[in-house]
Amino acid sequence: GNSVTQMEGPVTLSEEAFLTINCTYTATGYPSLFWYVQYPGEGLQLLLKATKADDKGSNKGFEATYRKETTSFHLEKGSVQVSDSAVYFCALSGPGNQFYFGTGTSLTVIP
Amino acid sequence: SQTIHQWPATLVQPVGSPLSLECTVEGTSNPNLYWYRQAAGRGLQLLFYSVGIGQISSEVPQNLSASRPQDRQFILSSKKLLLSDSGFYLCAFTDTPNSPLHFGNGTRLTVT
Protein backbone atom coordinates (compact mmCIF):
# COMPACT_ATOMS: atom_id res chain seq x y z
CA GLY A 1 0.00 0.00 0.00
CA ASN A 2 0.86 3.67 0.10
CA SER A 3 2.33 5.42 3.13
CA VAL A 4 4.63 8.24 4.15
CA THR A 5 7.07 8.25 7.04
CA GLN A 6 8.71 11.47 8.16
CA MET A 7 11.10 12.22 10.95
CA GLU A 8 9.72 12.85 14.38
CA GLY A 9 9.93 16.31 15.81
CA PRO A 10 10.06 18.73 17.28
CA VAL A 11 13.12 20.22 15.64
CA THR A 12 14.72 23.32 17.11
CA LEU A 13 17.38 25.21 15.16
CA SER A 14 19.20 28.49 15.47
CA GLU A 15 18.68 31.09 12.78
CA GLU A 16 20.85 30.48 9.69
CA ALA A 17 21.32 26.78 10.50
CA PHE A 18 20.93 24.08 7.88
CA LEU A 19 17.64 22.19 7.87
CA THR A 20 16.90 18.62 6.83
CA ILE A 21 13.58 16.92 7.44
CA ASN A 22 13.61 13.30 6.31
CA CYS A 23 10.73 11.76 4.42
CA THR A 24 10.47 8.26 2.97
CA TYR A 25 7.55 6.71 1.20
CA THR A 26 6.03 3.42 0.13
CA ALA A 27 3.92 3.50 -2.99
CA THR A 28 2.56 1.48 -5.84
CA GLY A 29 3.21 2.97 -9.24
CA TYR A 30 4.73 6.41 -9.67
CA PRO A 31 3.29 8.88 -7.19
CA SER A 32 3.71 12.63 -7.09
CA LEU A 33 5.39 13.91 -3.93
CA PHE A 34 4.71 17.11 -2.00
CA TRP A 35 5.83 19.13 0.96
CA TYR A 36 3.27 21.27 2.76
CA VAL A 37 3.78 23.89 5.46
CA GLN A 38 1.30 24.80 8.17
CA TYR A 39 1.69 28.01 10.16
CA PRO A 40 -0.08 28.23 13.53
CA GLY A 41 -3.86 28.44 13.20
CA GLU A 42 -3.82 28.14 9.42
CA GLY A 43 -4.49 25.53 6.77
CA LEU A 44 -1.77 23.69 4.88
CA GLN A 45 0.02 25.49 2.06
CA LEU A 46 1.81 23.72 -0.74
CA LEU A 47 5.53 24.39 -0.37
CA LEU A 48 6.92 22.36 -3.27
CA LYS A 49 6.25 19.32 -5.40
CA ALA A 50 7.91 16.77 -7.67
CA THR A 51 6.08 14.57 -10.11
CA LYS A 52 8.72 12.10 -11.30
CA ALA A 53 12.00 10.52 -10.30
CA ASP A 54 15.00 12.88 -10.04
CA ASP A 55 12.75 15.96 -10.16
CA LYS A 56 13.79 18.67 -7.73
CA GLY A 57 11.06 20.82 -6.24
CA SER A 58 12.05 24.19 -4.85
CA ASN A 59 10.40 27.24 -3.33
CA LYS A 60 11.39 29.99 -0.86
CA GLY A 61 14.87 28.49 -0.43
CA PHE A 62 13.52 25.01 0.34
CA GLU A 63 14.41 22.06 -1.88
CA ALA A 64 13.54 18.38 -2.12
CA THR A 65 14.59 15.78 -4.68
CA TYR A 66 12.44 12.80 -5.68
CA ARG A 67 14.73 9.80 -5.14
CA LYS A 68 13.16 6.64 -6.47
CA GLU A 69 16.11 4.42 -5.60
CA THR A 70 15.88 5.33 -1.90
CA THR A 71 12.13 6.13 -1.93
CA SER A 72 12.89 9.46 -0.28
CA PHE A 73 11.93 13.11 -0.59
CA HIS A 74 13.92 14.91 2.08
CA LEU A 75 13.28 18.61 2.66
CA GLU A 76 16.31 20.89 2.93
CA LYS A 77 17.07 24.56 3.40
CA GLY A 78 20.51 26.05 3.65
CA SER A 79 19.77 28.85 6.11
CA VAL A 80 16.56 28.89 8.12
CA GLN A 81 14.87 32.02 9.41
CA VAL A 82 12.60 32.61 12.38
CA SER A 83 9.72 32.98 9.93
CA ASP A 84 10.23 29.33 8.84
CA SER A 85 8.90 28.13 12.20
CA ALA A 86 5.93 25.93 11.29
CA VAL A 87 4.83 22.32 10.92
CA TYR A 88 5.98 20.57 7.74
CA PHE A 89 4.12 17.66 6.14
CA CYS A 90 5.39 15.27 3.50
CA ALA A 91 2.71 13.75 1.26
CA LEU A 92 2.19 11.63 -1.82
CA SER A 93 -0.66 11.25 -4.23
CA GLY A 94 -1.68 7.82 -5.31
CA PRO A 95 -4.21 6.31 -7.69
CA GLY A 96 -7.62 7.92 -7.74
CA ASN A 97 -6.31 11.20 -6.35
CA GLN A 98 -5.86 9.70 -2.89
CA PHE A 99 -3.35 11.51 -0.70
CA TYR A 100 -1.19 10.09 2.05
CA PHE A 101 0.40 12.37 4.63
CA GLY A 102 3.20 12.00 7.11
CA THR A 103 2.52 12.89 10.73
CA GLY A 104 4.16 16.30 10.45
CA THR A 105 7.40 17.73 11.82
CA SER A 106 7.31 20.83 13.98
CA LEU A 107 10.18 23.25 13.37
CA THR A 108 11.09 26.10 15.71
CA VAL A 109 13.82 28.52 14.68
CA ILE A 110 15.28 30.64 17.47
CA PRO A 111 17.07 33.96 16.89
CA SER B 1 -7.51 31.60 -10.35
CA GLN B 2 -8.72 28.83 -8.10
CA THR B 3 -9.72 29.64 -4.55
CA ILE B 4 -11.27 27.73 -1.69
CA HIS B 5 -13.39 29.25 1.03
CA GLN B 6 -14.21 27.60 4.32
CA TRP B 7 -16.31 28.93 7.17
CA PRO B 8 -16.68 29.64 9.97
CA ALA B 9 -13.08 30.09 11.11
CA THR B 10 -13.87 29.20 14.72
CA LEU B 11 -16.85 27.59 16.37
CA VAL B 12 -17.71 26.68 19.94
CA GLN B 13 -20.63 24.30 20.30
CA PRO B 14 -22.14 22.37 23.24
CA VAL B 15 -22.21 18.59 23.30
CA GLY B 16 -25.32 17.27 21.57
CA SER B 17 -25.78 20.28 19.29
CA PRO B 18 -25.79 20.02 15.48
CA LEU B 19 -22.94 21.05 13.20
CA SER B 20 -22.69 22.43 9.69
CA LEU B 21 -19.39 23.47 8.14
CA GLU B 22 -19.34 24.74 4.59
CA CYS B 23 -16.67 24.80 1.92
CA THR B 24 -16.85 26.25 -1.58
CA VAL B 25 -14.39 26.25 -4.44
CA GLU B 26 -14.11 28.84 -7.20
CA GLY B 27 -12.28 28.92 -10.49
CA THR B 28 -12.57 25.25 -11.42
CA SER B 29 -15.23 22.68 -12.22
CA ASN B 30 -15.79 19.09 -11.12
CA PRO B 31 -13.09 19.14 -8.44
CA ASN B 32 -12.39 16.29 -6.07
CA LEU B 33 -13.32 17.54 -2.61
CA TYR B 34 -12.00 16.38 0.76
CA TRP B 35 -12.69 16.88 4.47
CA TYR B 36 -9.81 16.29 6.89
CA ARG B 37 -9.63 16.56 10.66
CA GLN B 38 -6.51 17.47 12.58
CA ALA B 39 -6.54 16.81 16.33
CA ALA B 40 -4.27 18.99 18.46
CA GLY B 41 -0.63 18.18 17.78
CA ARG B 42 -1.55 15.33 15.47
CA GLY B 43 -1.48 14.59 11.78
CA LEU B 44 -4.26 14.70 9.24
CA GLN B 45 -7.15 12.25 9.22
CA LEU B 46 -9.20 11.94 6.03
CA LEU B 47 -12.91 11.97 6.87
CA PHE B 48 -14.70 12.17 3.50
CA TYR B 49 -13.93 12.68 -0.14
CA SER B 50 -16.13 13.29 -3.15
CA VAL B 51 -15.52 12.90 -6.87
CA GLY B 52 -18.84 14.42 -7.95
CA ILE B 53 -22.24 15.74 -6.90
CA GLY B 54 -23.92 13.34 -4.50
CA GLN B 55 -20.90 11.00 -4.48
CA ILE B 56 -19.40 10.75 -1.00
CA SER B 57 -16.91 8.23 0.33
CA SER B 58 -16.46 7.90 4.07
CA GLU B 59 -13.09 6.91 5.41
CA VAL B 60 -13.84 6.77 9.11
CA PRO B 61 -17.12 5.62 10.69
CA GLN B 62 -18.34 8.27 13.13
CA ASN B 63 -21.23 10.58 13.84
CA LEU B 64 -20.21 12.99 11.06
CA SER B 65 -21.63 13.07 7.55
CA ALA B 66 -20.84 14.98 4.38
CA SER B 67 -22.88 16.17 1.44
CA ARG B 68 -22.14 17.72 -1.93
CA PRO B 69 -25.31 19.47 -3.10
CA GLN B 70 -23.53 21.42 -5.85
CA ASP B 71 -20.42 20.83 -7.92
CA ARG B 72 -18.22 23.17 -5.89
CA GLN B 73 -19.88 22.99 -2.48
CA PHE B 74 -18.99 20.50 0.24
CA ILE B 75 -20.71 20.41 3.63
CA LEU B 76 -19.70 18.60 6.81
CA SER B 77 -22.51 17.92 9.27
CA SER B 78 -23.39 16.26 12.51
CA LYS B 79 -26.75 15.81 14.22
CA LYS B 80 -25.25 15.59 17.71
CA LEU B 81 -21.70 16.64 18.50
CA LEU B 82 -19.47 14.69 20.86
CA LEU B 83 -16.56 16.04 22.90
CA SER B 84 -14.25 13.95 20.72
CA ASP B 85 -15.37 15.91 17.64
CA SER B 86 -13.26 18.87 18.74
CA GLY B 87 -10.45 19.61 16.34
CA PHE B 88 -9.30 21.55 13.33
CA TYR B 89 -11.33 20.75 10.20
CA LEU B 90 -9.83 21.33 6.81
CA CYS B 91 -11.49 21.30 3.41
CA ALA B 92 -9.36 20.69 0.32
CA PHE B 93 -9.66 20.13 -3.42
CA THR B 94 -7.83 18.90 -6.47
CA ASP B 95 -8.96 19.36 -10.04
CA THR B 96 -6.58 17.39 -12.25
CA PRO B 97 -4.74 14.07 -11.87
CA ASN B 98 -1.43 14.39 -9.98
CA SER B 99 -2.18 17.97 -9.01
CA PRO B 100 -1.61 18.90 -5.36
CA LEU B 101 -4.28 19.33 -2.73
CA HIS B 102 -5.27 22.92 -2.08
CA PHE B 103 -6.50 23.58 1.44
CA GLY B 104 -8.88 26.07 2.96
CA ASN B 105 -7.94 28.01 6.08
CA GLY B 106 -9.68 25.55 8.37
CA THR B 107 -12.34 25.68 11.08
CA ARG B 108 -11.35 25.37 14.72
CA LEU B 109 -14.20 23.48 16.41
CA THR B 110 -14.40 23.25 20.19
CA VAL B 111 -17.14 21.08 21.67
CA THR B 112 -17.85 21.95 25.30
Side-chain angles (χ1 to χ4, degrees), chain B residues 61-79:
Chain B
Q62 58 211 333
N63 69 322
L64 299 173
S65 63
S67 62
R68 185 171 178 172
Q70 300 180 43
D71 181 45
R72 290 170 289 177
Q73 183 185 28
F74 205 24
I75 298 172
L76 182 69
S77 303
S78 174
K79 292 183 179 178

PDB file of all heavy atoms in Angstrom, chain B residues 61-79:
ATOM      1  N   PRO B  61     -15.766   5.642  10.150  1.00  0.00           N
ATOM      2  CA  PRO B  61     -17.125   5.622  10.692  1.00  0.00           C
ATOM      3  C   PRO B  61     -17.220   6.485  11.951  1.00  0.00           C
ATOM      4  O   PRO B  61     -16.385   6.402  12.820  1.00  0.00           O
ATOM      5  CB  PRO B  61     -17.362   4.142  11.017  1.00  0.00           C
ATOM      6  CG  PRO B  61     -16.023   3.521  11.092  1.00  0.00           C
ATOM      7  CD  PRO B  61     -15.107   4.330  10.227  1.00  0.00           C
ATOM      8  N   GLN B  62     -18.211   7.329  12.022  1.00  0.00           N
ATOM      9  CA  GLN B  62     -18.338   8.271  13.129  1.00  0.00           C
ATOM     10  C   GLN B  62     -19.689   8.948  13.018  1.00  0.00           C
ATOM     11  O   GLN B  62     -20.485   8.616  12.148  1.00  0.00           O
ATOM     12  CB  GLN B  62     -17.242   9.322  13.033  1.00  0.00           C
ATOM     13  CG  GLN B  62     -17.286  10.072  11.703  1.00  0.00           C
ATOM     14  CD  GLN B  62     -15.901  10.509  11.289  1.00  0.00           C
ATOM     15  OE1 GLN B  62     -15.022  10.715  12.101  1.00  0.00           O
ATOM     16  NE2 GLN B  62     -15.703  10.650   9.991  1.00  0.00           N
ATOM     17  N   ASN B  63     -19.925   9.915  13.872  1.00  0.00           N
ATOM     18  CA  ASN B  63     -21.232  10.585  13.837  1.00  0.00           C
ATOM     19  C   ASN B  63     -21.213  11.806  12.930  1.00  0.00           C
ATOM     20  O   ASN B  63     -22.067  12.674  13.054  1.00  0.00           O
ATOM     21  CB  ASN B  63     -21.639  10.985  15.254  1.00  0.00           C
ATOM     22  CG  ASN B  63     -20.759  12.097  15.788  1.00  0.00           C
ATOM     23  OD1 ASN B  63     -19.564  12.119  15.549  1.00  0.00           O
ATOM     24  ND2 ASN B  63     -21.350  13.034  16.504  1.00  0.00           N
ATOM     25  N   LEU B  64     -20.254  11.911  12.034  1.00  0.00           N
ATOM     26  CA  LEU B  64     -20.214  12.991  11.057  1.00  0.00           C
ATOM     27  C   LEU B  64     -20.699  12.494   9.705  1.00  0.00           C
ATOM     28  O   LEU B  64     -20.596  11.305   9.402  1.00  0.00           O
ATOM     29  CB  LEU B  64     -18.780  13.527  10.913  1.00  0.00           C
ATOM     30  CG  LEU B  64     -18.131  14.118  12.165  1.00  0.00           C
ATOM     31  CD1 LEU B  64     -16.678  14.433  11.890  1.00  0.00           C
ATOM     32  CD2 LEU B  64     -18.887  15.349  12.630  1.00  0.00           C
ATOM     33  N   SER B  65     -21.221  13.396   8.906  1.00  0.00           N
ATOM     34  CA  SER B  65     -21.630  13.074   7.549  1.00  0.00           C
ATOM     35  C   SER B  65     -21.227  14.213   6.633  1.00  0.00           C
ATOM     36  O   SER B  65     -20.915  15.316   7.096  1.00  0.00           O
ATOM     37  CB  SER B  65     -23.136  12.826   7.467  1.00  0.00           C
ATOM     38  OG  SER B  65     -23.843  14.002   7.823  1.00  0.00           O
ATOM     39  N   ALA B  66     -21.196  13.957   5.346  1.00  0.00           N
ATOM     40  CA  ALA B  66     -20.840  14.977   4.376  1.00  0.00           C
ATOM     41  C   ALA B  66     -21.834  14.941   3.227  1.00  0.00           C
ATOM     42  O   ALA B  66     -22.417  13.899   2.932  1.00  0.00           O
ATOM     43  CB  ALA B  66     -19.423  14.774   3.859  1.00  0.00           C
ATOM     44  N   SER B  67     -22.012  16.084   2.609  1.00  0.00           N
ATOM     45  CA  SER B  67     -22.876  16.170   1.439  1.00  0.00           C
ATOM     46  C   SER B  67     -22.256  17.104   0.425  1.00  0.00           C
ATOM     47  O   SER B  67     -21.485  17.997   0.765  1.00  0.00           O
ATOM     48  CB  SER B  67     -24.278  16.660   1.834  1.00  0.00           C
ATOM     49  OG  SER B  67     -24.209  17.968   2.383  1.00  0.00           O
ATOM     50  N   ARG B  68     -22.614  16.881  -0.816  1.00  0.00           N
ATOM     51  CA  ARG B  68     -22.142  17.720  -1.930  1.00  0.00           C
ATOM     52  C   ARG B  68     -23.353  18.069  -2.781  1.00  0.00           C
ATOM     53  O   ARG B  68     -23.628  17.442  -3.785  1.00  0.00           O
ATOM     54  CB  ARG B  68     -21.088  16.994  -2.750  1.00  0.00           C
ATOM     55  CG  ARG B  68     -20.474  17.854  -3.846  1.00  0.00           C
ATOM     56  CD  ARG B  68     -19.284  17.146  -4.469  1.00  0.00           C
ATOM     57  NE  ARG B  68     -18.699  17.910  -5.554  1.00  0.00           N
ATOM     58  CZ  ARG B  68     -17.566  17.586  -6.167  1.00  0.00           C
ATOM     59  NH1 ARG B  68     -16.900  16.496  -5.788  1.00  0.00           N
ATOM     60  NH2 ARG B  68     -17.106  18.332  -7.138  1.00  0.00           N
ATOM     61  N   PRO B  69     -24.078  19.104  -2.381  1.00  0.00           N
ATOM     62  CA  PRO B  69     -25.308  19.468  -3.103  1.00  0.00           C
ATOM     63  C   PRO B  69     -25.055  20.152  -4.438  1.00  0.00           C
ATOM     64  O   PRO B  69     -25.926  20.109  -5.311  1.00  0.00           O
ATOM     65  CB  PRO B  69     -26.009  20.413  -2.122  1.00  0.00           C
ATOM     66  CG  PRO B  69     -24.910  20.968  -1.277  1.00  0.00           C
ATOM     67  CD  PRO B  69     -23.875  19.896  -1.167  1.00  0.00           C
ATOM     68  N   GLN B  70     -23.902  20.783  -4.587  1.00  0.00           N
ATOM     69  CA  GLN B  70     -23.531  21.424  -5.849  1.00  0.00           C
ATOM     70  C   GLN B  70     -22.089  21.043  -6.189  1.00  0.00           C
ATOM     71  O   GLN B  70     -21.343  20.581  -5.334  1.00  0.00           O
ATOM     72  CB  GLN B  70     -23.655  22.955  -5.737  1.00  0.00           C
ATOM     73  CG  GLN B  70     -25.055  23.436  -5.407  1.00  0.00           C
ATOM     74  CD  GLN B  70     -25.124  24.948  -5.297  1.00  0.00           C
ATOM     75  OE1 GLN B  70     -24.539  25.658  -6.127  1.00  0.00           O
ATOM     76  NE2 GLN B  70     -25.831  25.437  -4.300  1.00  0.00           N
ATOM     77  N   ASP B  71     -21.719  21.282  -7.423  1.00  0.00           N
ATOM     78  CA  ASP B  71     -20.416  20.834  -7.919  1.00  0.00           C
ATOM     79  C   ASP B  71     -19.257  21.333  -7.063  1.00  0.00           C
ATOM     80  O   ASP B  71     -18.291  20.614  -6.824  1.00  0.00           O
ATOM     81  CB  ASP B  71     -20.235  21.303  -9.372  1.00  0.00           C
ATOM     82  CG  ASP B  71     -18.904  20.848  -9.950  1.00  0.00           C
ATOM     83  OD1 ASP B  71     -18.545  19.663  -9.749  1.00  0.00           O
ATOM     84  OD2 ASP B  71     -18.224  21.658 -10.608  1.00  0.00           O
ATOM     85  N   ARG B  72     -19.345  22.570  -6.591  1.00  0.00           N
ATOM     86  CA  ARG B  72     -18.218  23.173  -5.892  1.00  0.00           C
ATOM     87  C   ARG B  72     -18.542  23.491  -4.438  1.00  0.00           C
ATOM     88  O   ARG B  72     -17.949  24.392  -3.846  1.00  0.00           O
ATOM     89  CB  ARG B  72     -17.773  24.433  -6.651  1.00  0.00           C
ATOM     90  CG  ARG B  72     -17.122  24.107  -7.981  1.00  0.00           C
ATOM     91  CD  ARG B  72     -16.908  25.343  -8.819  1.00  0.00           C
ATOM     92  NE  ARG B  72     -18.167  25.874  -9.316  1.00  0.00           N
ATOM     93  CZ  ARG B  72     -18.259  26.997 -10.028  1.00  0.00           C
ATOM     94  NH1 ARG B  72     -17.180  27.713 -10.287  1.00  0.00           N
ATOM     95  NH2 ARG B  72     -19.416  27.411 -10.467  1.00  0.00           N
ATOM     96  N   GLN B  73     -19.480  22.767  -3.859  1.00  0.00           N
ATOM     97  CA  GLN B  73     -19.878  22.987  -2.478  1.00  0.00           C
ATOM     98  C   GLN B  73     -19.805  21.664  -1.724  1.00  0.00           C
ATOM     99  O   GLN B  73     -20.326  20.643  -2.172  1.00  0.00           O
ATOM    100  CB  GLN B  73     -21.306  23.552  -2.421  1.00  0.00           C
ATOM    101  CG  GLN B  73     -21.777  23.881  -1.029  1.00  0.00           C
ATOM    102  CD  GLN B  73     -23.235  24.328  -1.020  1.00  0.00           C
ATOM    103  OE1 GLN B  73     -24.027  23.925  -1.884  1.00  0.00           O
ATOM    104  NE2 GLN B  73     -23.594  25.153  -0.053  1.00  0.00           N
ATOM    105  N   PHE B  74     -19.177  21.708  -0.557  1.00  0.00           N
ATOM    106  CA  PHE B  74     -18.985  20.500   0.237  1.00  0.00           C
ATOM    107  C   PHE B  74     -19.321  20.855   1.678  1.00  0.00           C
ATOM    108  O   PHE B  74     -18.793  21.836   2.213  1.00  0.00           O
ATOM    109  CB  PHE B  74     -17.539  20.025   0.107  1.00  0.00           C
ATOM    110  CG  PHE B  74     -17.314  18.560   0.351  1.00  0.00           C
ATOM    111  CD1 PHE B  74     -18.329  17.627   0.185  1.00  0.00           C
ATOM    112  CD2 PHE B  74     -16.058  18.079   0.716  1.00  0.00           C
ATOM    113  CE1 PHE B  74     -18.108  16.272   0.366  1.00  0.00           C
ATOM    114  CE2 PHE B  74     -15.831  16.727   0.913  1.00  0.00           C
ATOM    115  CZ  PHE B  74     -16.853  15.831   0.735  1.00  0.00           C
ATOM    116  N   ILE B  75     -20.211  20.080   2.298  1.00  0.00           N
ATOM    117  CA  ILE B  75     -20.710  20.407   3.626  1.00  0.00           C
ATOM    118  C   ILE B  75     -20.428  19.255   4.576  1.00  0.00           C
ATOM    119  O   ILE B  75     -20.669  18.077   4.237  1.00  0.00           O
ATOM    120  CB  ILE B  75     -22.223  20.704   3.588  1.00  0.00           C
ATOM    121  CG1 ILE B  75     -22.475  21.935   2.699  1.00  0.00           C
ATOM    122  CG2 ILE B  75     -22.765  20.933   4.993  1.00  0.00           C
ATOM    123  CD1 ILE B  75     -23.937  22.203   2.430  1.00  0.00           C
ATOM    124  N   LEU B  76     -19.939  19.579   5.753  1.00  0.00           N
ATOM    125  CA  LEU B  76     -19.702  18.598   6.811  1.00  0.00           C
ATOM    126  C   LEU B  76     -20.734  18.827   7.907  1.00  0.00           C
ATOM    127  O   LEU B  76     -20.906  19.962   8.356  1.00  0.00           O
ATOM    128  CB  LEU B  76     -18.290  18.752   7.375  1.00  0.00           C
ATOM    129  CG  LEU B  76     -17.871  17.763   8.456  1.00  0.00           C
ATOM    130  CD1 LEU B  76     -17.709  16.365   7.864  1.00  0.00           C
ATOM    131  CD2 LEU B  76     -16.558  18.203   9.104  1.00  0.00           C
ATOM    132  N   SER B  77     -21.405  17.758   8.330  1.00  0.00           N
ATOM    133  CA  SER B  77     -22.510  17.918   9.270  1.00  0.00           C
ATOM    134  C   SER B  77     -22.446  16.884  10.382  1.00  0.00           C
ATOM    135  O   SER B  77     -21.792  15.841  10.253  1.00  0.00           O
ATOM    136  CB  SER B  77     -23.852  17.744   8.547  1.00  0.00           C
ATOM    137  OG  SER B  77     -23.980  18.656   7.484  1.00  0.00           O
ATOM    138  N   SER B  78     -23.152  17.217  11.444  1.00  0.00           N
ATOM    139  CA  SER B  78     -23.391  16.260  12.508  1.00  0.00           C
ATOM    140  C   SER B  78     -24.739  16.590  13.132  1.00  0.00           C
ATOM    141  O   SER B  78     -25.106  17.762  13.257  1.00  0.00           O
ATOM    142  CB  SER B  78     -22.302  16.324  13.573  1.00  0.00           C
ATOM    143  OG  SER B  78     -22.627  15.494  14.670  1.00  0.00           O
ATOM    144  N   LYS B  79     -25.466  15.557  13.548  1.00  0.00           N
ATOM    145  CA  LYS B  79     -26.745  15.808  14.215  1.00  0.00           C
ATOM    146  C   LYS B  79     -26.530  16.080  15.692  1.00  0.00           C
ATOM    147  O   LYS B  79     -27.249  16.866  16.299  1.00  0.00           O
ATOM    148  CB  LYS B  79     -27.654  14.592  14.031  1.00  0.00           C
ATOM    149  CG  LYS B  79     -28.110  14.389  12.601  1.00  0.00           C
ATOM    150  CD  LYS B  79     -29.064  13.204  12.485  1.00  0.00           C
ATOM    151  CE  LYS B  79     -29.522  13.036  11.042  1.00  0.00           C
ATOM    152  NZ  LYS B  79     -30.408  11.858  10.886  1.00  0.00           N
TER     153      LYS B  79
END
